[in-house]
């Protein structure tokens, strides 16, 4: 058995419970809006320690180190994990792209055959989206506590929210009406920034802490002075 075989099956389970697993370890994507994968996200590494990861997921680390005598023993080890659910391997629950990928993985096909022999796929129970989201929320909360990452999670979430707020309050559209030269927008933004603050961090905080009307007023002053200088 290769690491990719093990990682692929565990990774599939982790994906269903709101986590990610691979050669980089165990992580979660922190989205600006929870349960909305269309929003921007940052990667929060939970752990790179295999034993800690397996302990959290409920896998027998000693058995993993010892190795498996055959594929069936490995498959049973996967099933015995805390978060295993047979429906995660039901083709009817996969989108087309995922189904296409898994259909080309021999270990995935063999694992499904093993589940069929055990009659586990036929006993799988559909979960509503609400139930699945609740499970994801619980698992992610447990993971943050277990790996002591709550503070990092909050920091990452705040950074995403601050970035979105910054872009809402200050972006290129405020300068798009200057001379009709879009290629100069970035130059005007940088010139305006230097006018307000000495460093990027100072300017970032100024935008976040300043009322929208005041920001607009300062930009209007910049435009007025620019026009005056150009006409003189």
């Amino acid at each position: 058995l290769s690491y990719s075989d093990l990682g692929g099956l565990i990774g599939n389970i982790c994906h269903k419970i709101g986590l990610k697993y691979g050669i980089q370890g165990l992580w979660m994507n922190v989205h600006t809006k929870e349960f909305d994968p269309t929003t921007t996200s940052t990667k929060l590494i939970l752990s790179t320690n295999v034993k800690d990861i397996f302990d959290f997921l409920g896998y027998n680390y000693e058995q993993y180190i010892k190795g498996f005598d055959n594929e069936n023993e490995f498959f049973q080890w996967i099933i015995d994990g805390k978060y295993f659910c047979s429906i995660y391997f039901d083709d009817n629950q996969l989108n087309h792209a995922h189904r296409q990928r898994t259909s080309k993985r021999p270990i995935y096909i063999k694992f499904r055959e093993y589940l069929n022999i055990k009659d586990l796929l036929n006993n799988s129970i559909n979960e509503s989206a609400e139930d699945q989201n609740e499970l994801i929320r619980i698992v992610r909360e447990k993971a943050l506590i277990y790996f002591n990452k709550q503070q990092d999670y909050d920091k990452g979430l705040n950074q995403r929210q601050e970035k979105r707020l910054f872009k809402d309050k200050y972006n290129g559209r405020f300068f798009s009406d200057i001379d009709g030269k879009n290629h100069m927008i970035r130059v005007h933004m940088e010139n305006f920034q230097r006018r307000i603050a000495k460093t990027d961090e100072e300017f970032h905080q100024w935008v976040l802490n300043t009322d929208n009307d005041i920001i607009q007023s300062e930009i209007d002053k910049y435009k007025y002075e620019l026009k005056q200088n150009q006409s003189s």
Side-chain angles (χ1 to χ4, degrees):
L1 292 168
S2 68
Y3 180 84
S4 62
D5 289 338
L6 180 145
L9 296 181
I10 295 180
N12 184 64
I13 295 170
C14 287
H15 174 70
K16 299 295 186 180
I17 58 176
L19 305 176
K20 300 288 184 181
Y21 176 79
I23 197 167
Q24 301 174 51
L26 186 70
W27 72 93
M28 68 168 65
N29 289 331
V30 182
H31 290 275
T32 305
K33 183 179 180 182
E34 191 76 325
F35 305 127
D36 186 354
T38 63
T39 58
T40 53
S41 66
T42 53
K43 178 187 288 187
L44 174 61
I45 299 294
L46 296 170
S47 179
T48 57
N49 184 291
V50 176
K51 184 179 186 307
D52 289 345
I53 293 171
F54 284 178
D55 284 348
F56 174 75
L57 296 175
Y59 291 114
N60 188 320
Y61 180 73
E62 286 68 28
Q63 178 65 49
Y64 166 74
I65 293 298
K66 177 184 174 183
F68 306 98
D69 293 334
N70 51 62
E71 285 183 339
N72 286 354
E73 191 174 283
F74 166 61
F75 292 155
Q76 191 58 49
W77 182 82
I78 291 288
I79 292 172
D80 290 339
K82 185 190 303 182
Y83 296 107
F84 170 81
C85 186
S86 58
I87 198 172
Y88 298 160
F89 296 89
D90 186 343
D91 279 350
N92 293 325
Q93 303 299 316
L94 305 179
N95 59 38
H96 177 72
H98 196 176
R99 194 180 300 116
Q100 287 290 98
R101 288 196 300 270
T102 56
S103 66
K104 300 175 182 178
R105 296 175 182 170
I107 195 68
Y108 191 92
I109 296 171
K110 291 180 180 179
F111 185 55
R112 277 184 46 81
E113 291 174 352
Y114 182 79
L115 294 178
N116 273 320
I117 292 173
K118 293 287 186 178
D119 201 30
L120 290 175
L121 287 179
N122 293 331
N123 295 328
S124 60
I125 301 174
N126 283 318
E127 288 184 320
S128 67
E130 291 77 12
D131 290 339
Q132 186 62 26
N133 283 345
E134 179 64 12
L135 173 63
I136 289 173
R137 184 187 65 78
I138 291 172
V139 172
R140 284 163 69 94
E141 286 180 353
K142 286 182 177 180
L144 291 173
I145 294 171
Y146 187 89
F147 295 107
N148 193 28
K149 293 290 184 175
Q150 184 66 56
Q151 187 173 355
D152 292 339
Y153 174 87
D154 293 338
K155 182 179 179 181
L157 192 59
N158 289 336
Q159 286 176 342
R160 299 306 310 179
Q161 292 171 337
E162 283 189 0
K163 188 173 183 179
R164 183 173 61 176
L165 178 61
F166 180 87
K167 286 186 176 181
D168 287 343
K169 298 180 73 174
Y170 184 72
N171 56 69
R173 65 183 174 83
F174 293 110
F175 301 90
S176 61
D177 59 342
I178 300 178
D179 301 330
K181 299 177 180 178
N182 289 339
H183 67 281
M184 291 295 292
I185 289 177
R186 175 54 57 186
V187 174
H188 289 306
M189 292 181 72
E190 291 175 353
N191 288 341
F192 178 77
Q193 178 174 331
R194 286 196 294 269
R195 172 192 177 102
I196 297 296
K198 295 180 180 179
T199 66
D200 291 346
E201 179 59 28
E202 284 182 11
F203 182 72
H204 184 83
Q205 288 302 317
W206 178 81
V207 171
L208 294 178
N209 298 333
T210 304
D211 183 79
N212 287 350
D213 291 339
I214 295 177
I215 294 175
Q216 183 65 64
S217 175
E218 290 296 329
I219 292 175
D220 289 341
K221 288 179 185 178
Y222 168 81
K223 291 178 180 178
Y224 176 78
E225 292 178 11
L226 182 66
K227 185 178 292 186
Q228 290 294 102
N229 291 334
Q230 289 175 342
S231 61
S232 60

